[in-house]
């Protein structure tokens, strides 16, 4: 028996489910289901040839070619989970630019792309029966079946078409999500500053050994005790105060983190500056970043716009506003 999943023209309601048969399970639905695959396979073409034919994979193809990884996707006996353009749009603002242009970002992108390749043929029946898969990147991905009977990888990448055949015993699946390894963070927008302060524990009658800290996460400082006064049960301002006793309190270290936005991010939510966090204000000005900043771009002379993306004189153009237009020659004449 073979399962097929994909995009259906109509939806159907299950009238009766889980009817056991000698060779499987039967569900009774209230209408015919017709299957209209969006993408057709071709065993005479490589995976990259098929991917390049589909507009749905424009960004996927662009990123593969940008890192010269087409050979890895044209190998034989592999299964590819191909993310749609919409899947790449789920990256944080400026994230795709960072992955493409930054050296560290390119290393992360290479790992992300390899995380979409799986060794051998991943049959859809095996996929349904398994709880996890391991990619060529060595990352284990979770497999889950939703209440709507859709296969989802890593809780965010839903499979909408399966078993698209290519040349070399290669198959690929169409997914609406990215398989980003958990250890990769595309955007580091917060850079909290760790700091240590001293706190005192409860006043105790004994001054020997190590006392208790106010919180379990605090660390007692050996040998560092402060004197304190133990007030009676009724407190220091009772009508008939009892004699006070001198005791000791343990001094402890407490680690705190001070919120801080990374460079290129601003505000309480640490949002990316205009022009993208990788190149704030398009490199033509200074962004008022930091957690107290408002993200405004202070443009350098010759530039204007929300992200300093425009020249403030009509006579010049170009990314650096240093190329003369025809108007400048006319005025010069």
């Amino acid at each position: 028996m073979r399962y097929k999943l994909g995009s259906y023209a109509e939806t159907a309601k299950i009238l009766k489910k889980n009817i056991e048969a000698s060779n499987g399970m039967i569900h009774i639905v209230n209408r015919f289901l017709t299957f209209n695959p969006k993408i057709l396979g071709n065993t005479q073409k490589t995976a990259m040839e098929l991917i390049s034919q589909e507009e749905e994979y424009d960004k996927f193809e662009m990123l593969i070619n940008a890192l010269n990884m087409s050979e890895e996707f044209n190998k034989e006996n592999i299964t590819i989970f191909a993310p749609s353009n919409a899947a790449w749009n789920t990256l944080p603002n400026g994230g795709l630019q960072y992955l493409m242009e930054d050296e560290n970002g390119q290393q992360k992108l290479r790992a992300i792309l390899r995380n979409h390749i799986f060794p051998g043929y991943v049959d859809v029946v095996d996929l349904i029966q398994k709880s996890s898969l391991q990619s060529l990147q060595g990352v284990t991905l979770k497999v889950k079946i939703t209440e709507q009977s859709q296969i989802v990888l890593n809780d965010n990448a839903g499979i909408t078409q399966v078993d698209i055949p290519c040349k070399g015993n290669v198959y690929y699946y169409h997914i609406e999500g990215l398989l980003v390894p958990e250890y990769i963070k595309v955007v580091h927008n917060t850079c909290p500053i760790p700091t240590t302060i001293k706190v005192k524990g409860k006043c105790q009658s004994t001054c020997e050994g190590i006392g208790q800290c106010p919180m379990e996460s605090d660390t007692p400082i050996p040998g560092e005790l402060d004197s304190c006064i133990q007030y009676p049960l009724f407190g220091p301002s009772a009508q008939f105060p009892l004699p006070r006793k001198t005791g000791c309190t343990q001094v402890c270290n407490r680690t705190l983190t001070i919120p801080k936005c990374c460079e290129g991010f601003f505000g309480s939510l640490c949002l990316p500056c205009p022009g993208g966090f990788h190149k704030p204000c398009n490199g033509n000005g200074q962004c008022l970043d930091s957690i107290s900043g408002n993200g405004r771009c202070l443009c350098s002379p010759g530039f204007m716009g929300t992200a300093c993306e425009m020249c403030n004189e009509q006579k010049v153009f170009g990314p650096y506003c240093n190329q003369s237009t025809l108007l400048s020659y006319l005025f010069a004449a």
Side-chain angles (χ1 to χ4, degrees):
M1 185 175 181
R2 189 171 182 79
Y3 294 85
K4 275 287 183 182
L5 302 179
S7 301
Y8 290 91
E10 306 93 4
T11 57
K13 183 179 180 181
I14 298 177
L15 301 177
K16 193 172 182 180
K17 61 182 180 180
N18 297 336
I19 303 173
E20 294 187 8
S22 60
N23 62 338
M25 196 76 69
I26 299 173
H27 303 298
I28 299 176
V29 295
N30 65 341
R31 65 189 306 169
F32 288 107
L33 295 178
T34 57
F35 177 65
N36 296 320
K38 290 183 178 180
I39 303 165
L40 299 176
N42 189 334
T43 56
Q44 302 302 313
K45 293 186 177 182
T46 65
M48 285 303 298
E49 287 175 329
L50 289 180
I51 288 172
S52 65
Q53 292 177 358
E54 299 293 335
E55 293 183 359
E56 276 286 310
Y57 303 128
D58 282 350
K59 291 185 178 179
F60 190 39
E61 180 196 10
M62 174 192 67
L63 295 171
I64 293 172
N65 290 331
L67 295 185
N68 297 317
M69 292 182 63
S70 58
E71 288 187 9
E72 292 197 48
F73 285 85
N74 276 334
K75 289 181 179 178
E76 296 185 352
N77 301 311
I78 59 172
T79 301
I80 300 168
F81 287 83
S84 65
N85 292 332
W88 292 101
N89 292 338
T90 61
L91 288 172
N93 185 22
L96 192 59
Q97 181 184 9
Y98 163 70
L99 291 174
M100 292 180 63
E101 298 180 3
D102 186 87
E103 185 175 347
N104 291 330
Q106 290 178 2
Q107 293 179 4
K108 293 179 180 180
L109 177 58
R110 189 176 298 276
I112 292 172
L113 291 174
R114 294 190 84 246
N115 206 43
H116 289 77
I117 307 174
F118 293 78
Y121 170 46
V122 180
D123 184 82
V124 66
V125 179
D126 294 334
L127 192 61
I128 292 172
Q129 296 173 347
K130 291 181 178 179
S131 60
S132 63
L133 288 173
Q134 190 172 58
S135 70
L136 281 183
Q137 185 62 20
V139 176
T140 300
L141 287 82
K142 295 182 295 182
V143 181
K144 184 177 73 174
I145 309 296
T146 67
E147 293 181 356
Q148 292 75 33
S149 301
Q150 184 182 27
I151 304 176
V152 177
L153 302 178
N154 270 12
D155 296 325
N156 73 304
I159 298 175
T160 57
Q161 191 171 336
V162 305
D163 282 352
I164 304 170
C166 315
K167 185 179 180 180
N169 195 32
V170 175
Y171 291 81
Y172 74 90
Y173 289 61
H174 179 86
I175 59 174
E176 295 292 342
L178 295 181
L179 305 178
V180 180
E182 290 185 359
Y183 62 85
I184 289 181
K185 191 171 183 180
V186 175
V187 176
H188 290 271
N189 61 334
T190 58
C191 296
I193 304 173
T195 185
T196 302
I197 62 172
K198 289 186 177 182
V199 294
K200 295 180 180 180
K202 186 178 179 181
C203 189
Q204 301 175 149
S205 58
T206 178
C207 293
E208 297 179 358
I210 297 178
Q212 290 184 342
C213 294
M215 298 174 61
E216 290 185 5
S217 57
D218 298 335
T219 305
I221 304 175
E224 192 165 339
L225 301 170
D226 269 2
S227 60
C228 60
I229 297 175
Q230 282 192 308
Y231 289 101
L233 181 64
F234 299 102
S237 59
Q239 187 175 2
F240 302 103
L242 298 176
R244 295 178 296 180
K245 295 182 179 180
T246 302
C248 284
T249 179
Q250 176 68 53
V251 180
C252 308
N253 281 329
R254 178 176 294 176
T255 301
L256 303 174
T257 53
I258 301 175
K260 180 179 180 293
C261 294
C262 297
E263 186 177 350
F265 296 88
F266 73 94
S268 59
L269 299 178
C270 294
L271 300 173
C273 286
F277 70 93
H278 180 58
K279 200 174 183 181
C281 307
N282 290 294
N284 301 323
Q286 180 182 357
C287 175
L288 298 180
D289 54 12
S290 80
I291 203 164
S292 59
N294 59 10
R296 180 187 171 194
C297 282
L298 303 178
C299 298
S300 302
F303 297 91
M304 60 183 292
T306 305
C308 304
E309 75 279 16
M310 298 184 293
C311 304
N312 62 3
E313 292 186 15
Q314 295 182 355
K315 300 178 183 180
V316 293
F317 71 100
Y320 305 106
C321 293
N322 59 355
Q323 300 180 46
S324 300
T325 64
L326 180 60
L327 286 174
S328 62
Y329 291 106
L330 293 176
F331 282 112

